[in-house]
Amino acid sequence: KMTMDNDHENDIAITMAMILSTLVAILVGLINIQDKESTDNATSKSTYFPCPVKQPSKYAYEKFCASYSPIWMSVFAVIVAFQLYESFTAATYNLVCLGCALPFLLQPMIFPSASLNSKLESPDAKRPIYERYSTKANLWLAVYSFIGNYWYTHYFYSVLKASYTMPATRLNNVPIAMYFATHFYFSSYHVFSNACLRKIKTTFKLGWKRRLLYVSTIIVLSYFTAFMETLTISSFPYYSFEDRNMAYSIGSAFYGIYFLVSFPAFLEFDEDIDNEESPVGRKITLWDTFVQSCGYGMIILCLLDFVRLLTGIPLIVGII
């Protein structure tokens, strides 16, 4: 049996290596056929982060997220590597995950001008807290995270036979700690995807080739992000799948549906907050933010359910 398990693990390792290698090869090929923007064009500076002059609010938020992300990742790495979770109670899980999420949630209030460059100040510092980009970005992701846990998790329970077995206080049969954890996971994921997609938009000329690269990158990023989360959490024994190998290959595509919608949506969210000449004509409010996130959440929910219908698997929501 051990030999068969090892052979199965080797097979899935080869399968995943082939899938990821193929995806990377496609992107490399698409990059090589791109036409670069002229270096004489002052408005086309190739960059991963928003322009600190034209988009200082988004720049400050994304810089903060990029700077804090390695910290929460290190905390989780230590917890998993040293199996500290073995002594955790439900309250401990809640406190650890809330503690990791708090820097993101509190940044709009206590550090609105967060930046690696002390000479730059975000306009967010001069705005009421309810008008700050960082506040709206946190709300967008918090609503999305809540919908994902409250609803989407049950698709993992039903379709992929996933389960959480650690001590937990639960809401709709999902550990409350996961609601907090998803916020900091998704904050980092979406800033990383913003960087990749923005690099494409600011490096290559607009046209069908760039559009093809842009869409392909969203697909690859979505699959890769989902796979890496599944892989890195595999050492945590209290989140399990009936067939973990299927979770790596098929499950990553299923989970990746989230990001097919949210990655491009978050990049464009409140893009003109620092542009006083914006053609939009009105500011994005917290209510607008809430409604937008709910709308994208419904798109994802429908896509997940379409896949479930294709598989013919019944959906069970609530206490199992």
Side-chain angles (χ1 to χ4, degrees):
K1 183 178 179 181
M2 186 175 295
T3 302
M4 291 178 62
D5 289 342
N6 289 336
D7 290 342
H8 195 33
E9 289 178 2
N10 290 335
D11 288 343
I12 192 63
I14 294 172
T15 299
M16 292 311 302
M18 291 176 62
I19 292 173
L20 295 174
S21 297
T22 301
L23 294 176
V24 170
I26 291 172
L27 288 187
V28 171
L30 290 174
I31 290 172
N32 285 332
I33 66 171
Q34 298 298 310
D35 300 314
K36 288 191 175 183
E37 287 279 14
S38 171
T39 55
D40 296 331
N41 187 351
T43 64
S44 63
K45 182 180 179 182
S46 178
T47 180
Y48 290 103
F49 287 98
C51 175
V53 176
K54 295 182 178 180
Q55 294 182 303
S57 298
K58 297 192 78 166
Y59 175 84
Y61 169 77
E62 293 193 18
K63 277 289 188 177
F64 177 82
C65 290
S67 299
Y68 173 63
S69 293
I71 297 176
W72 75 254
M73 291 177 186
S74 298
V75 170
F76 261 43
V78 169
I79 290 172
V80 173
F82 292 96
Q83 299 184 352
L84 302 181
Y85 52 77
E86 294 293 358
S87 62
F88 282 11
T89 63
T92 310
Y93 279 106
N94 290 339
L95 288 173
V96 168
C97 291
L98 175 60
C100 288
L102 275 178
F104 287 118
L105 296 170
L106 294 177
Q107 184 256 327
M109 291 178 276
I110 64 177
F111 204 18
S113 289
S115 171
L116 296 182
N117 186 342
S118 59
K119 296 180 180 179
L120 294 174
E121 182 180 47
S122 169
D124 270 1
K126 299 178 181 178
R127 296 185 179 111
I129 188 169
Y130 56 85
E131 290 184 358
R132 294 174 180 175
Y133 173 79
S134 50
T135 302
K136 290 181 280 187
N138 268 283
L139 176 62
W140 198 101
L141 290 167
V143 172
Y144 175 28
S145 300
F146 178 84
I147 294 171
N149 282 283
Y150 193 89
W151 288 110
Y152 307 162
T153 302
H154 294 282
Y155 285 85
F156 283 78
Y157 290 167
S158 300
V159 177
L160 298 176
K161 309 302 179 186
S163 62
Y164 291 107
T165 56
M166 72 279 205
T169 49
R170 294 174 180 256
L171 175 62
N172 201 27
N173 199 30
V174 178
I176 289 176
M178 294 301 100
Y179 289 82
F180 299 135
T182 304
H183 188 78
F184 55 80
Y185 266 84
F186 279 14
S187 295
S188 297
Y189 292 169
H190 285 77
V191 166
F192 173 73
S193 68
N194 276 5
C196 295
L197 297 178
R198 185 179 292 112
K199 186 68 173 178
I200 292 172
K201 292 180 69 175
T202 59
T203 302
F204 305 115
K205 288 183 178 180
L206 180 61
W208 70 268
K209 288 186 284 188
R210 195 183 84 176
R211 292 190 187 97
L212 182 59
L213 173 62
Y214 188 82
V215 172
S216 300
T217 300
I218 291 170
I219 294 171
V220 173
L221 277 178
S222 299
Y223 188 86
F224 179 77
T225 301
F227 168 71
M228 287 305 298
E229 181 179 320
T230 305
L231 179 64
T232 54
I233 205 173
S234 63
S235 298
F236 180 65
Y238 302 112
Y239 180 52
S240 59
F241 296 91
E242 188 175 85
D243 185 344
R244 184 167 291 277
N245 291 329
M246 185 185 79
Y248 287 143
S249 54
I250 307 301
S252 294
F254 189 68
Y255 184 17
I257 291 172
Y258 290 28
F259 307 123
L260 288 176
V261 176
S262 66
F263 280 170
F266 191 68
L267 175 66
E268 301 299 332
F269 172 67
D270 211 3
E271 185 74 358
D272 295 318
I273 185 172
D274 295 317
N275 182 4
E276 296 181 358
E277 300 178 357
S278 169
V280 174
R282 63 185 294 269
K283 295 179 180 178
I284 301 295
T285 66
L286 290 181
W287 177 249
D288 294 330
T289 302
F290 177 80
V291 171
Q292 280 190 31
S293 190
C294 286
Y296 290 122
M298 178 54 74
I299 293 172
I300 296 167
L301 183 62
C302 289
L303 292 174
L304 292 174
D305 208 54
F306 293 157
V307 174
R308 182 193 64 79
L309 289 173
L310 287 173
T311 63
I313 298 173
L315 176 66
I316 301 174
V317 178
I319 302 301
I320 298 176

